Amino acid sequence: AASLQKMQRAGNPWGLPAQERLTWSEGLNVPTVQDNPDFDVLYWVGCSAAYDRRTMKVARAVAQLLQHAEVNFAVLGPEERCTGESARRMGDEFLFQELAATNIETFTRHNVKKIVTHCPHCLNSLRQDYPQFDGHYEVVHHTQFLGELVTARKLRAATVMNETVTYHDPCYLARVNGITEAPRDLLPDNLEEMPRNGCQTACCGAGGGRMWFDDPASERIGAGRITEAMDTGAHTVAVSCPFCLTMMTDGIAAKKPELKVRDVAELMMDENG
C-alpha cells in the first residue's frame, strides 16, 4: 500500500520528486518536449528508469540508439507521471484514473501521436487501458522501434561474440501483446531458448503489482524461471522489461553471479556505441 500512497503523492511508486525524472539522462543532451516541440516520437521513460539506478542504464542505451539513428524524439521529463498500471492491477481504480487523466492531458497539450517505451507494463497501459479514457496513440515497444531502425540500416542488431544468450519474454510483452519476434530479431541467431518461451513464457514474479511486495527471494514466484535461465548454459540473459531486469538480476546474483542480465538495448549499444 505504501507504493500506492507514493504514486498518489509524488506520481511514482518510489515517492521521489518529479524534478529528478531526468537524472538518468545526465550528459546525453536528451531533448525534452520543451526543447523540441516538433518531435515525431515521444520516448516514454517510465518510473523505473527515472528512479532505479540499474534501469537508468537501459534508458541511456535507448536514448543513445535513438540519437545514433537520428530519430526526432523528445521526453516529457518532469511532466511524466506513472501510467498507473500497477495501481489498476492492485485494485486502486480511482488512483489509476487520476494518473491516466493527468497523462492524457499532458499528451494532448504536447500533441503526442506516437510513443516508444522500453517498459511492457507502460506499453500495455498506454495501449490497452488509455483508449478507455479517450487516449489514443500509436504505442510501440523499444524492441519494435529499434527493429525498424535496423531494417532501415540506421542501427545494427546485437552480435554477442563467442557467448551464448538466452532471452526471457516479459508476460506483458509476449502473453498480453503478442510481441515475441521483435526482440529476437535484435539478438544473435545462436539463442539458447528456455523451455517456456514466447507466448508460453513464465513470469519473473513482478507482474500484477508484485514488484512492490517484499517477498523473500526464495519465495518469489519467479524462482523457477531463474533456474531455467541458468540451465540453458548461456552467458547472458537478455530481457526487455525493467521489472524482469530487477527480478532476474536479484535472483541470479544469489545463485550464479557471473551470469549477466542485460536489456536488449544495452546489447545493441555494444554494436552501435
Side-chain angles (χ1 to χ4, degrees):
S3 61
L4 292 172
Q5 287 165 351
K6 289 170 182 172
M7 275 183 224
Q8 178 111 44
R9 195 182 68 243
N12 68 81
W14 276 266
L16 293 165
Q19 297 87 287
E20 290 179 22
R21 271 198 179 263
L22 273 175
T23 307
W24 66 272
S25 67
E26 272 170 15
L28 291 185
N29 291 327
V30 171
T32 64
V33 287
Q34 277 78 23
D35 306 327
N36 181 23
D38 296 322
F39 60 92
D40 296 329
V41 176
L42 181 76
Y43 174 33
W44 180 268
V45 177
C47 302
S48 185
Y51 300 112
D52 177 77
R53 290 253 160 246
R54 175 64 186 88
T55 317
M56 282 183 189
K57 294 178 181 173
V58 177
R60 290 180 72 83
V62 173
Q64 287 172 277
L65 290 167
L66 295 178
Q67 287 171 330
H68 188 88
E70 299 181 344
V71 174
N72 178 17
F73 78 103
V75 298
L76 285 172
E79 286 192 71
E80 200 179 85
R81 292 285 175 278
C82 181
T83 56
E85 192 269 342
S86 289
R88 188 172 229 193
R89 302 295 171 257
M90 289 195 275
D92 193 336
E93 181 65 17
F94 178 77
L95 175 56
F96 164 72
Q97 292 195 19
E98 200 175 36
L99 288 162
T102 304
N103 285 323
I104 288 169
E105 195 261 325
T106 304
F107 291 153
T108 304
R109 202 167 62 248
H110 294 294
N111 198 23
V112 171
K113 293 186 177 67
K114 181 166 184 170
I115 303 174
V116 172
T117 178
H118 60 248
C119 177
H121 295 263
C122 295
L123 172 107
N124 188 62
S125 204
L126 295 168
R127 205 185 241 204
Q128 311 285 7
D129 294 343
Y130 276 43
Q132 297 165 14
F133 305 95
D134 233 16
H136 300 280
Y137 318 99
E138 182 190 351
V139 188
V140 295
H141 191 243
H142 73 313
T143 57
Q144 294 176 302
F145 194 69
L146 294 172
E148 290 172 27
L149 296 172
V150 169
T151 303
R153 297 183 185 277
K154 292 182 176 177
L155 289 174
R156 288 192 300 276
T159 51
V160 185
M161 301 303 287
N162 311 325
E163 288 195 7
T164 46
V165 178
T166 189
Y167 172 67
H168 165 72
D169 290 273
C171 293
Y172 271 89
L173 199 62
R175 283 180 196 278
V176 183
N177 287 285
I179 300 167
T180 59
E181 289 311 308
R184 284 175 173 77
D185 288 344
L186 299 173
L187 293 168
D189 295 335
N190 63 336
L191 209 59
E192 287 290 337
E193 292 284 10
M194 286 183 258
R196 294 179 286 179
N197 62 64
C199 293
Q200 305 301 315
T201 188
C203 182
C204 73
R210 289 202 78 86
M211 176 72 182
W212 314 112
F213 288 46
D214 288 326
D215 301 335
S218 59
E219 290 170 26
R220 286 183 189 160
I221 296 162
R225 191 57 164 171
I226 304 298
T227 307
E228 279 186 26
M230 294 190 305
D231 285 351
T232 62
H235 298 83
T236 300
V237 181
V239 294
S240 58
C241 167
F243 292 178
C244 295
L245 178 64
T246 300
M247 289 299 198
M248 299 296 276
T249 302
D250 287 357
I252 283 169
K255 294 183 173 173
K256 194 177 180 183
E258 69 277 15
L259 181 55
K260 296 190 286 282
V261 183
R262 299 180 74 201
D263 189 271
V264 173
E266 295 179 297
L267 293 170
M268 282 182 69
M269 267 306 290
D270 297 347
E271 282 299 301
N272 298 276

